Amino acid sequence: HHSMGEKVGQLMDVSLLRQQAKWKERVESLRATVDGLQPHYKSMKGWRMHWDMQLFKALEHQYQLGLEGLHLDLPTLSCDLEYKHKRLQLRPALEELRTEYYREIKKFIAIPTGFKGL
């Protein structure tokens, strides 16, 4: 129980935005711990639900932090400013830059929808 608490507590400090792989790795470790204990105990439903709730609290905390700093941590989009045919133009076009920016935002926003808990 203490070990699970420490692992979930550590997730509170792992950035969901910048360290997604580490987050997933730690969640998998928690799942492995719970699955390893399953054969030794008959009824773990309540205990498992408790740790699911704690895990979702960690997810919510990191998700809120990620949303607040999303604009700061998104990958930098670069473009060139060209003067062509007596006009200034962006390369890639503004629409393409906007599409890429929104794709990155949607990728982060979708994280909780794919989260299945323990």
Side-chain angles (χ1 to χ4, degrees):
H1 189 83
H2 182 70
S3 169
M4 291 287 289
E6 284 180 358
K7 288 179 181 182
V8 172
Q10 289 171 353
L11 279 175
M12 293 282 201
D13 297 325
V14 177
S15 172
L16 190 58
L17 181 58
R18 285 175 262 133
Q19 299 170 307
Q20 276 187 21
K22 191 174 185 179
W23 226 90
K24 288 180 181 179
E25 178 184 304
R26 293 207 176 162
V27 170
E28 287 300 321
S29 170
L30 285 166
R31 284 186 189 126
T33 301
V34 171
D35 291 343
L37 292 172
Q38 188 73 42
H40 302 291
Y41 300 97
K42 292 179 184 177
S43 179
M44 289 182 55
K45 187 176 181 179
W47 188 77
R48 191 177 202 126
M49 193 169 21
H50 166 75
W51 287 113
D52 254 351
M53 292 300 296
Q54 301 310 309
L55 190 56
F56 276 98
K57 286 178 187 177
L59 175 67
E60 180 183 25
H61 172 72
Q62 280 302 322
Y63 189 68
Q64 286 176 344
L65 289 177
L67 285 175
E68 291 170 7
L70 186 60
H71 66 286
L72 300 172
D73 290 323
L74 284 176
T76 303
L77 299 176
S78 60
C79 65
D80 295 320
L81 188 59
E82 295 179 347
Y83 184 73
K84 210 176 201 182
H85 306 292
K86 297 184 181 181
R87 291 180 56 199
L88 282 175
Q89 299 175 347
L90 289 175
R91 291 287 169 225
L94 184 58
E95 293 79 22
E96 293 173 38
L97 292 169
R98 189 175 288 136
T99 300
E100 180 61 29
Y101 185 72
Y102 289 138
R103 183 179 304 124
E104 291 295 324
I105 290 173
K106 285 179 184 178
K107 191 166 69 172
F108 179 75
I109 289 174
I111 288 174
T113 60
F115 192 74
K116 62 181 179 180
L118 297 176

